[in-house]
Amino acid sequence: MIEQGYWNGLPTEIERGTAEVADAPEFPLYWAKTEGIIGQRIAVVRVVLDGVNYGGGTTYLDDRDGAGYAKVMGGGSPRAGHRDVGILPGSFAPSTPTGEKP
């Protein structure tokens, strides 16, 4: 379900769901690699950055512990920590309207 969240204090579109974690071979110490979750499906928050972040686009936040969702619903301040996660193209699956993960 698409919701309004915040990034850098500005309103933007967000959506909770799951996605498969992609590798980032150019970053040998990529946190997802060191945690051993490459290829796993995890909870994420999709954040539309158009108009709220330089370069725009879309990013995905690790939401396994609810921290990604808390960041975007709490104002999206740069001071609030988060973990960007690369996902396999086409692997994002939105949550159902009841909040259950697909």
Side-chain angles (χ1 to χ4, degrees):
M1 179 171 76
I2 296 173
E3 301 177 64
Q4 179 181 298
Y6 297 89
W7 194 261
N8 292 330
L10 300 170
T12 192
E13 179 182 294
I14 65 150
E15 188 171 20
R16 295 172 95 173
T18 63
E20 291 180 46
V21 178
D23 194 5
E26 66 276 19
F27 300 110
L29 297 177
Y30 175 38
W31 69 266
K33 186 181 296 187
T34 62
E35 285 192 14
I37 63 169
I38 302 299
Q40 291 184 19
R41 180 166 287 276
I42 67 167
V44 297
V45 177
R46 180 183 66 85
V47 182
V48 176
L49 299 176
D50 298 335
V52 298
N53 198 72
Y54 179 77
T58 300
T59 194
Y60 297 87
L61 307 181
D62 176 10
D63 197 41
R64 291 174 295 161
D65 62 0
Y69 189 71
K71 176 186 175 81
V72 295
M73 296 310 284
S77 170
R79 291 183 181 161
H82 67 279
R83 299 194 319 175
D84 290 305
V85 62
I87 69 165
L88 294 174
S91 71
F92 178 76
S95 294
T96 62
T98 60
E100 297 173 8
K101 302 291 185 236

